[in-house]
Amino acid sequence: MDDAFSIDKGRVRRSFERAASTCDAAAALQREVGARALSRLELVRLSPAVVVDAGCGTGFATPALRARYPRALVVGIDIAAGMLRVARTRIPAWRRWTRSIRQGFVCADNGRLPLATGTVDMLWSNLAFQWSDDLGAVFSESLRVLRPGGLLTFTTLGPDTLKELRAACAGDGRVHVHRFTDMHDVGDLMVHAGFADPVMDMEYLTLTYPDARSLMHELKACGARNAASGRSRGLTGRKALQAIESGYEAFRQQGRLPATFEIIYGHAWKPLPRIGPGGRPVIDIKPR
């Protein structure tokens, strides 16, 4: 990946910290995609004891995961401590002081999970993996913490995401919109990490706005600020902002400006060990 498109993880953390109090009101896309991802779990035959919500944000999905798997320990993980403080408020106060609660939160990066190897039955993630520079490392960590037979299921963003905004910003030599990984490359990275039977599909969701500033304000409120290394380091000037707004007007339809999001859905399983004729696990030795 070009250096200009490398992701400043500190910037990501700070952006989501600042958006902790505004995220829920602006996260229509995240809620919709999360609901669709949760509905897909109806097709999965799994009774997990430990479920991880990786990149849980303010934790809007963790109650649904807890309701679907009432006997499971549900652990929400996010890079921003501020998001987790909001997530904890979703647990009823009377339950926070009892031992009956089966939920916890951990502040960490999805590429470096503070979890023991082979302790998770299902790792679920909604629109969080795109904030990693090294998606292969995220998949390797996911594979490590999953038990054999465990499930990774996630959503992320594809390359056509915010294509209108990218086109409106083109020409000034700076990065305004992140570069997102193609669905087929995402699948290849899962296979390379060691996952079995990956299933990938995608769909386009289009939100509309009265003007370009409304879209940019919503992205900021969600914490989805530009964290690319090639971004402008100062405030966007009036002329530059006006140029972006003017360029975006070319996409206006029926009085509204569209914003396209390419949603990628993926799931795969951690393989079970192969058993030989004597009942012992088969270990493949790769030649150097």
Side-chain angles (χ1 to χ4, degrees):
M1 181 175 290
D2 296 340
D3 288 341
F5 287 94
S6 63
I7 296 175
D8 181 345
K9 195 57 68 71
R11 165 83 168 180
V12 172
R13 180 181 291 106
R14 292 189 299 272
S15 295
F16 283 108
E17 287 282 356
R18 294 170 185 168
S21 62
T22 59
C23 183
D24 280 353
L29 177 74
Q30 289 83 347
R31 289 194 299 273
E32 177 61 28
V33 176
R36 297 184 184 203
L38 287 166
S39 69
R40 292 174 175 231
L41 294 179
E42 297 175 3
L43 304 176
V44 175
R45 293 185 179 180
L46 187 67
S47 298
V50 178
V51 176
V52 167
D53 181 357
C56 66
T58 60
F60 73 89
T62 44
L65 289 168
R66 193 173 64 246
R68 182 174 292 277
Y69 305 110
R71 296 184 178 181
L73 169 64
V74 179
V75 180
I77 293 179
D78 200 87
I79 195 172
M83 289 285 183
L84 296 179
R85 284 192 290 271
V86 176
R88 289 188 181 96
T89 66
R90 296 183 187 276
I91 302 175
W94 66 269
R95 295 191 65 188
R96 296 177 208 166
W97 306 105
T98 69
R99 295 186 178 182
S100 63
I101 186 66
R102 299 283 292 166
Q103 184 170 331
F105 297 98
V106 178
C107 187
D109 181 6
N110 288 331
R112 299 181 65 182
L113 297 171
L115 302 173
T117 298
T119 56
V120 176
D121 298 292
M122 185 174 78
L123 193 148
W124 186 90
S125 182
N126 181 46
L127 296 183
F129 285 176
Q130 69 272 7
W131 293 106
S132 174
D133 240 353
D134 190 349
L135 192 54
V138 171
F139 288 142
S140 294
E141 268 294 88
S142 300
L143 186 79
R144 180 186 67 80
V145 302
L146 284 170
R147 292 190 176 99
L151 174 67
L152 167 66
T153 178
F154 66 93
T155 66
T156 188
L157 297 176
D160 277 343
T161 295
L162 296 174
K163 62 181 181 181
E164 300 89 354
L165 180 60
R166 182 181 290 109
C169 296
D172 67 1
R174 294 175 294 186
V175 177
H176 293 274
V177 180
H178 289 192
R179 179 177 292 173
F180 303 106
T181 306
D182 179 79
M183 177 180 71
H184 299 94
D185 293 332
V186 173
D188 289 344
L189 288 169
M190 281 197 292
V191 172
H192 187 265
F195 279 99
D197 304 321
V199 176
M200 307 292 302
D201 66 296
M202 59 80 69
E203 64 177 339
Y204 290 108
L205 297 181
T206 302
L207 305 183
T208 63
Y209 300 86
D211 49 59
R213 291 197 190 198
S214 297
L215 166 62
M216 290 185 279
H217 288 163
E218 183 172 285
L219 293 173
K220 181 179 178 181
C222 289
R225 295 170 181 254
N226 185 2
S229 295
R231 70 187 184 277
S232 173
R233 298 306 174 112
L235 295 175
T236 302
R238 180 178 297 178
K239 289 185 178 180
L241 184 56
Q242 289 176 342
I244 294 173
E245 292 176 317
S246 177
Y248 214 133
E249 284 298 319
F251 298 96
R252 187 174 290 277
Q253 299 176 8
Q254 299 178 345
R256 305 279 292 183
L257 294 179
T260 298
F261 295 88
E262 180 182 344
I263 310 301
I264 295 173
Y265 300 85
H267 76 257
W269 301 85
K270 182 170 182 175
L272 291 167
R274 292 192 295 125
I275 305 300
R280 296 183 177 181
V282 175
I283 299 176
D284 293 319
I285 300 176
K286 296 182 180 179
R288 293 185 178 181

